[in-house]
Amino acid sequence: GYWLRAKGRVDTTTTKQNHLFPDTMARGPVKHLKRRFAPSHWMLDKLKGRWAPKPSAGPHKLRECMPLIVMLRERLKYALTYREVKMIVMQR
């Protein structure tokens, strides 16, 4: 971004921030998932919150896996919060 502006190749007078040449780079993969973009087979409530748990799929596809938090909290109703699910999973 800076080099192109310094050489005068990008016109910055028309827009505040040019979306084609951002000043900062992305910092790795996205670590969050909005609830409305979660797979429908998770059967999450639309209005219960804004965020959905982001699965760590491993070798499988992200759309075909299901996080343990969804299974334990939303389906089986064993826990009310993410912290309670972590405590259940960490038990022997």
Side-chain angles (χ1 to χ4, degrees):
Y2 173 75
W3 181 80
L4 292 170
R5 283 195 202 113
K7 295 288 184 182
R9 295 184 184 175
V10 177
D11 183 17
T12 58
T13 58
T14 57
T15 60
K16 271 186 165 179
Q17 181 179 3
N18 195 339
H19 67 282
L20 296 176
F21 302 102
D23 286 333
T24 58
M25 303 277 298
R27 297 184 185 262
V30 177
K31 296 180 180 171
H32 55 275
L33 176 69
K34 289 211 173 174
R35 192 169 278 258
R36 62 185 284 202
F37 298 118
S40 61
H41 69 271
W42 290 2
M43 294 187 282
L44 297 176
D45 297 334
K46 286 184 194 174
L47 302 176
K48 196 169 180 184
R50 179 172 292 179
W51 304 104
K54 174 90 178 209
S56 58
H60 309 289
K61 293 180 182 176
L62 185 73
R63 291 283 169 197
E64 294 177 359
C65 66
M66 179 180 294
L68 280 175
I69 185 171
V70 171
M71 182 65 73
L72 293 174
R73 186 177 70 182
E74 308 294 334
R75 294 231 182 138
L76 298 176
K77 308 280 189 213
Y78 283 163
L80 295 174
T81 62
Y82 173 70
R83 186 176 179 191
E84 290 178 4
V85 171
K86 278 185 12 181
M87 297 287 281
I88 292 170
V89 172
M90 297 298 259
Q91 286 178 356
R92 290 187 168 213

